Amino acid sequence: MKEITERIKSPTPTFFKKVRTIGLTLGAIGGALLTAPITLPATVLTIAGYLATAGIVASAISTVAKEDQPPK
């Protein structure tokens, strides 16, 4: 558990910051479509579910990525 906490607190590389932002955006779009107050076709709801899931997974994985430290 300590290692996970250290990974989350360590600096995130620039690439993974971009992946996290894209993932959060996809998750927000998917969530907005899933909770829309209008009736949407089943295909759109299925795609929205996939968007939300992919966005959440991408954000979670990119959050725990860390920069390599040179060996001491």
Side-chain angles (χ1 to χ4, degrees):
M1 193 68 175
K2 182 179 177 183
E3 183 178 336
I4 293 173
T5 305
E6 289 176 10
R7 289 183 72 88
I8 291 173
K9 290 181 181 179
S10 66
T12 304
T14 306
F15 172 75
F16 287 104
K17 287 180 182 178
K18 292 178 185 176
V19 170
R20 182 178 55 205
T21 302
I22 292 169
L24 289 172
T25 303
L26 289 176
I29 291 170
L33 288 173
L34 287 171
T35 60
I38 58 173
T39 305
L40 296 171
T43 306
V44 173
L45 292 177
T46 302
I47 292 171
Y50 290 141
L51 278 176
T53 303
I56 291 168
V57 169
S59 297
I61 290 173
S62 64
T63 299
V64 294
K66 68 176 189 175
E67 292 183 7
D68 287 333
Q69 304 275 331
K72 293 181 179 182

